[in-house]
Amino acid sequence: MNPPNLEAALTEWRAALGEANVLTEPEALTSAETATFATTQRIPAILRPSSTAEVQACLRVAQTHRVAVYPVSGGRNWGYGSRVPPRDGCALMELSRMNRILAYDERLAYLTVEPGVTFRQAYTWLKERGSPLFITTIGGSPEASLIGNALERGDGRGPHSDIFNHVCGLEVVLPNSERVETGMARFANAHAAPVNRWGLGPSLDGLFSQSALGVVTRMTFWLVKKAPYLNEFVFTVKEDSQLWEAMDRLQQLALEGTLRNSFFFWNDVKALSVMRQFPYEVTGGRTPLPGFMLEGFREEFGRWAISGAISAQDEELGTLLERRVDKALEGLARRLDFGPRPPDYESSFHGKPSDANLAMTYWRKKHPVPENPHPDRDRCGFIWCSVAVPFTSEEAREASAIATRVPRMFSLEPNVALLAVSPRCLYLVVALAYDRDEPGDDERAMACYQALQRELVQAGYYPMRLGLPGFPEELPVQDDSRALLKRLKEAVDPAGILSPGRYGF
Amino acid sequence: MNPPNLEAALTEWRAALGEANVLTEPEALTSAETATFATTQRIPAILRPSSTAEVQACLRVAQTHRVAVYPVSGGRNWGYGSRVPPRDGCALMELSRMNRILAYDERLAYLTVEPGVTFRQAYTWLKERGSPLFITTIGGSPEASLIGNALERGDGRGPHSDIFNHVCGLEVVLPNSERVETGMARFANAHAAPVNRWGLGPSLDGLFSQSALGVVTRMTFWLVKKAPYLNEFVFTVKEDSQLWEAMDRLQQLALEGTLRNSFFFWNDVKALSVMRQFPYEVTGGRTPLPGFMLEGFREEFGRWAISGAISAQDEELGTLLERRVDKALEGLARRLDFGPRPPDYESSFHGKPSDANLAMTYWRKKHPVPENPHPDRDRCGFIWCSVAVPFTSEEAREASAIATRVPRMFSLEPNVALLAVSPRCLYLVVALAYDRDEPGDDERAMACYQALQRELVQAGYYPMRLGLPGFPEELPVQDDSRALLKRLKEAVDPAGILSPGRYGF
C-alpha cells in the first residue's frame, strides 16, 4: 500500500472538479475545522463535487493516493460536530453544490433530491407549486440537508417523524467508486423505484445510515398530505408527577392512533432557553442560573411543556380527536390558548422550517441571537447527548433524572426534552449550552457530556445518534456485531479511505 | 478447501443435536423435497436444532465439512417453493422446534419470538391472556412462521401490513457461527432493545431479509392495539373502469390516513377460487373455465371485490370514517351487507388467522379441500408471481392486463389480486393454480410463470419476492449492486455454505 500523498491527490482533485472547487485557503479550512465545541482535527482541503460522477472521481483519487475523505451534505450537524471529521487529515467533501430536486409526484407523494437540498429549499419549492403535500421538517437549522439529516436518523414533526423510515431509493457511491442504488431503483426502468423501499433481495438502505460505507448522492422522501384540520397544542404541567401520568396516557393515545403526529415533552430550562437568553443582568454575570429564577419561570410557565398537533380530514373528526386528548390530560395539564393564528400561519407540523430553536445555542452568549444564526461562527458552545428510552413514565423518569442531575454537577443548566417519535420509543435529548468564549467552559462541557453519556449507558439508555465527541469507552456489546461491522467495512473499503472513525468505523 | 464430506458432517450433527433430530429417512426427505410445483433438488438430511447454540453448532459443522445448509422456519412458503432449497445437496435446517415466546409487553405492545412460533400459536397465546393487542396475520397458512414470513417481507392485514417494517431486535447466526443482534439489542442491558429498530450505527435488519447472509433465531414484533370500532367492508364493482376510478379514490383515502388498514382488490377468478373449486361437473372435466361460467359468476358477484376494514377509537369516529369511504365509492361500487356477525366473531384485521384462502390452492383438484389442507402433500399445483406496482390506476391497469392475458395463453385462469400495503405501492400477486396430477401441467404452469414474470419485468414491474422458480434470466440491473452483494456474501460466507442460490446468492 502506498503512503498517503496529499499533493498528488490535490492535483488530481483539481483536475476533476476545477480549481475553484478544491479549497485550501486557511480561512475556509479553519472555518470547516470549527464546531460548537472544542476540536483539534485539521482538514487539508475542501472538495466540492457537483455530480455523482464527480463524487466517484473524488473517491477514485482518494483511493489511489490514500487520502481519506469525509463527506458532509449541508454541514449543519450542529451540536454533534458540525463539519469536523473524527480524524485528522481527512479532506472534507461538501455536497452542497448537488442541490437539484430530481423528481416530484403529487399523487404518489414523493420528492427525489440530491444531498445539497435543504429543508428550506424543499419547503419553498413545494409552496411555490401550491403542493397539497409537505416534507417533514426538523427542529434544527432550515439550512440543514434533507439527506444528511435522514442519514443521521434525525427526527422531525408530523406523522413521518422517524424520517429515515419514510425514504427509499438511495443512490450511493461506494469507497471503491462503484455506484449502487437501493430498493427497486437498482433495476432498469423499475416503475416502483420511488414507492417501494425494500426492492428484491436484502435491503441495503440501513447500511448507509450512521455509517462510513458509502456516500449517498440521491434519496427519495415520501411526503405527507396536508390535513384540512391541523391544530397545534401546548399543555403545561406544574409538577413532575403530573408529567409522568400525562406521558403514560399520551403513549396510549399514540398506540391507538389518536396521536399520529410526533409530540414533545420539554422541561423548563429548554422552554426558557428557546424564549430568552441567560439573564446575566440579573445574576450579575454569574452562572449557572440560580434556583429562584427557574422557580419564577416555573410559576409563570410550568415545569414541563407538552406540545404536538392534532390533524384530521375535517373539523368534525378533528374535534373528536381533540376531545380524546383533552380528556386524557384533564386535571393534569393546562392547555395554553394561542388565540387566532395569522391567516398566513403555517405550522412546523405541515413542514414549515424555522430558526426558532437555534436560539437555544445562544443561551449563554453575551450578545443577542443574530438575524442569521450560525453557532459555529459565533462560538456558541453546544453539545447534544441523545439516547433511546422505552416510552413509559418509569423509564422516562429514570433517564431524565440522570439528564437533570449530571449537567448541574458541571454548573450547566439541565436542558432536557423527550421526543415521542413512536408509540414505543422516546428520544431523550439533552442539550449542553455554554459560551466558548468563557475560559475553561469547553473542557467543562465536554467532561459533562462524557459523564452524562456514561451514566445513561450504565443505566441502560444507549445513544441513538453519536457526534464527534463519541463515547468515552467502547460501548459494551454482548454479541459479535463489532466483528461483523469490521468485516463489512473491509469488504467495501479495505484501505479505510471513507470517514475513518465515524460511528466506530 | 476440503471437498464436501456429508458422512462426517452427519456424524457431527448427530452428536450436536441428538440422533432423533437429524433425519435421513427417505419418507421425510421426499416430503421435504416436495413443493407445489415440480422440483428436482435432493436433500441429504434434515436438521432440527432447538436453540441458537445448536444452530451455531450446525453451521460450524457445515463449515468444517463444506456441506451447505438451507434454513427454513415453518416451511410453509407455499407457492414460492415450500421447504425446497434452490440447490441440490443442501441439508435442510428446520427451526420449528425453536418455538418459544420469549417476551411480551402490553403497554409497549411487542412480542419477542423464536422462528418456530406460528401465526396460530401467537394468536392463541395472546387470546388466552386476554390481550388488548394483536399480531398482524396473513392470508396464508396459520401454521406459517412469523419470522419466516417477515423475513420474506410478506404482507398482512391491518395497519402493520408491511410486516417487516414493524419488527426489530433480530438475533442472527452468521455462516461462520458468530451471533449478532441488531438495533439496540446488541448492547448489554439496552432498555430500548425491543422498541427501537435502528440502534446506533448502520442498521443491519434489512441485510437478513430475502437473504442468504444469516439464520435469524429471534425477532421482536410490534403489536397493534385492537380498535373498539372495527368494521370490515367488501365492495364489488361490475366493470373494470369502475375499479380504476375506485382505486384512485381509495389511494387518496390511504394517503390522507382515513384508510389505515391494508385493503385488497381481488378479481373474479380469485374470489371464485376461494369460494368454490373448479366446476368439472359442468365443464365435463375440461379446463380452463369457459367464459360463460365466469360471466355467470360476474353477474352474481361482480368483476372485482374490494375488501378492507375501518377501525377507530369509537363508534362516532368510525361512522365518520365509514362515510368518507362510502362517499368515495358512491356510484362506483356496491357494498355487500354481511348482516350481524356472530358474537364470537373475530376479524383477520384483528389478527385472527384462517385457512380459508388456502382453498385456492385446491382450485383445480378433483377432490374437496381436506379438513387439514396441505398443498405439498396433496399435489396441489400452485405458483405465486408477485411484483411491485405504483399505486395508480394507470399502473395497476397495465400490470393487471399482463397478469390477465398471460395465464390464459397457458390455459390457466387469471387469478389476480392487488394488495394495498401502503398509500404508494401495490403488490400485484398472481396465483397460478393447477393440478399436479394432471400430466403436463407442471411444465405448462412453470412455462406460464416464466412468461408472466418476463413480461411483467419488461413492462417495468419487478418482483418484490421470489421463490424457487426464480427468474428466467438475470434481472437487468443498472448499477453495481450485484458486485456489492457478492462482496457482502463473501465477507460473511466465503465458502458459500448458507442457502446457496437463494435470491441470487
Side-chain angles (χ1 to χ4, degrees), chain A residues 9-23 46-59 61 92-95 97:
Chain A
L10 284 171
T11 305
E12 291 186 33
W13 280 328
R14 287 195 178 104
L17 308 183
E19 295 278 340
N21 294 305
V22 180
L23 311 185
I46 301 174
L47 315 176
R48 295 165 42 80
S50 69
S51 66
T52 300
E54 288 190 359
V55 170
Q56 292 176 289
C58 285
L59 290 176
V61 173
L92 185 70
M93 184 158 72
E94 287 198 332
L95 304 175
R97 286 176 72 212

Side-chain angles (χ1 to χ4, degrees), chain A residues 106-110 133 153 160 162 164-165 174 176-181 184-192 194-204 206-211 213 222-225 248 251-252 255-258 260 313-314 316-317 320-321 323-324 388-395 398 422-425 427 458-466 475-485 487-488 491-492 503 505, chain B residues 106-110 133 153 160 162 164-165 174 176-181 184-192 194-204 206-211 213 222-225 248 251-252 255-258 260 313-314 316-317 320-321 323-324 388-395 398 422-425 427 458-466 475-485 487-488 491-492 503 505:
Chain A
E106 191 171 302
R107 282 165 77 190
L108 293 171
Y110 64 78
L133 308 164
R153 304 201 293 253
H160 288 193
D162 183 0
F164 191 66
N165 206 27
L174 300 181
N176 66 0
S177 82
E178 283 176 349
R179 196 188 63 90
V180 163
E181 297 182 71
M184 289 292 174
R186 58 192 280 241
F187 298 121
N189 183 36
H191 291 201
V195 295
N196 179 287
R197 70 187 316 197
W198 302 123
L200 182 70
S203 167
L204 303 177
L207 267 192
F208 301 107
S209 64
Q210 295 193 353
S211 173
L213 299 172
W222 293 336
L223 306 177
V224 186
K225 193 151 190 183
D248 284 333
Q251 186 263 342
Q252 287 295 310
L255 191 65
E256 73 178 30
T258 295
R260 290 170 53 215
Q313 284 318 301
D314 58 34
E316 207 176 349
L317 275 161
L320 290 174
L321 297 175
R323 210 182 292 159
R324 292 186 72 80
V389 177
F391 198 153
T392 71
S393 60
E394 294 86 346
E395 300 272 10
E398 192 183 337
S422 91
R424 288 173 191 77
C425 191
Y427 291 165
Q458 274 164 2
Y461 306 110
Y462 282 82
M464 35 63 68
R465 179 170 176 181
L466 268 186
L475 288 168
V477 301
Q478 55 185 4
D479 67 349
D480 300 311
S481 54
R482 211 162 262 149
L484 172 60
L485 288 168
R487 222 172 292 125
L488 296 179
V492 299
Y503 282 101
F505 278 109
Chain B
E106 192 171 300
R107 283 163 77 191
L108 293 170
Y110 64 79
L133 309 164
R153 303 201 293 250
H160 289 191
D162 182 359
F164 191 67
N165 207 25
L174 300 181
N176 68 0
S177 82
E178 283 177 347
R179 194 188 63 88
V180 163
E181 297 183 71
M184 288 292 173
R186 58 192 280 242
F187 297 121
N189 182 38
H191 291 203
V195 295
N196 178 287
R197 71 185 318 194
W198 301 123
L200 182 71
S203 166
L204 303 177
L207 268 192
F208 300 107
S209 65
Q210 295 194 354
S211 173
L213 298 173
W222 293 335
L223 306 176
V224 186
K225 193 149 190 185
D248 284 333
Q251 186 263 339
Q252 286 296 309
L255 191 65
E256 72 179 30
T258 294
R260 291 171 50 215
Q313 284 318 303
D314 58 35
E316 208 178 348
L317 274 160
L320 289 174
L321 297 175
R323 211 182 291 159
R324 292 185 72 81
V389 178
F391 199 153
T392 71
S393 60
E394 295 85 348
E395 300 272 11
E398 191 183 338
S422 91
R424 289 173 190 77
C425 190
Y427 290 166
Q458 274 163 2
Y461 306 110
Y462 283 82
M464 34 63 68
R465 180 172 176 179
L466 269 185
L475 290 167
V477 300
Q478 56 185 5
D479 67 350
D480 300 312
S481 54
R482 210 163 263 150
L484 173 61
L485 289 168
R487 222 172 293 126
L488 295 180
V492 299
Y503 281 101
F505 278 109

Side-chain angles (χ1 to χ4, degrees), chain B residues 394-409:
Chain B
E394 295 85 348
E395 300 272 11
R397 187 200 303 234
E398 191 183 338
S400 331
I402 298 168
T404 306
R405 177 168 46 77
V406 176
R408 288 211 179 105
M409 292 162 52

Side-chain angles (χ1 to χ4, degrees), chain A residues 294-424:
Chain A
L294 199 56
E295 283 303 327
F297 181 72
R298 284 184 192 169
E299 283 304 311
E300 170 197 343
F301 178 79
R303 168 75 180 102
W304 290 85
I306 306 169
S307 60
I310 296 289
S311 51
Q313 284 318 301
D314 58 34
E315 183 91 25
E316 207 176 349
L317 275 161
T319 307
L320 290 174
L321 297 175
E322 296 278 3
R323 210 182 292 159
R324 292 186 72 80
V325 175
D326 286 338
K327 202 170 154 220
L329 297 186
E330 206 179 322
L332 289 175
R334 183 171 62 99
R335 188 166 180 157
L336 304 188
D337 184 359
F338 295 109
R341 300 281 195 187
D344 62 343
Y345 177 79
E346 195 152 29
S347 168
S348 61
F349 287 90
H350 270 174
K352 167 98 190 215
S354 155
D355 271 336
N357 289 358
L358 283 183
M360 242 183 353
T361 62
Y362 289 82
W363 163 246
R364 286 263 192 116
K365 294 303 288 185
K366 278 149 204 121
H367 59 77
V369 182
E371 186 108 351
N372 169 26
H374 197 297
D376 289 345
R377 177 198 63 203
D378 295 334
R379 293 186 55 77
C380 299
F382 199 76
I383 312 177
W384 280 120
C385 174
S386 310
V387 301
V389 177
F391 198 153
T392 71
S393 60
E394 294 86 346
E395 300 272 10
R397 187 201 303 234
E398 192 183 337
S400 331
I402 298 168
T404 306
R405 178 167 47 76
V406 176
R408 287 212 179 107
M409 291 161 54
F410 292 83
S411 298
L412 293 168
E413 292 78 23
N415 175 321
V416 177
L418 290 146
L419 319 179
V421 289
S422 91
R424 288 173 191 77

Side-chain angles (χ1 to χ4, degrees), chain B residues 130-151:
Chain B
S131 172
L133 309 164
F134 72 91
I135 189 156
T136 306
T137 198
I138 55 173
S141 170
E143 310 310 328
S145 154
L146 295 177
I147 288 183
N149 175 273
L151 290 176

Side-chain angles (χ1 to χ4, degrees), chain A residues 14-43:
Chain A
R14 287 195 178 104
L17 308 183
E19 295 278 340
N21 294 305
V22 180
L23 311 185
T24 50
E25 292 72 27
E27 305 73 39
L29 300 181
T30 304
S31 157
E33 287 160 1
T34 306
T36 57
F37 45 79
T39 56
T40 57
Q41 294 85 338
R42 306 302 302 269
I43 297 170

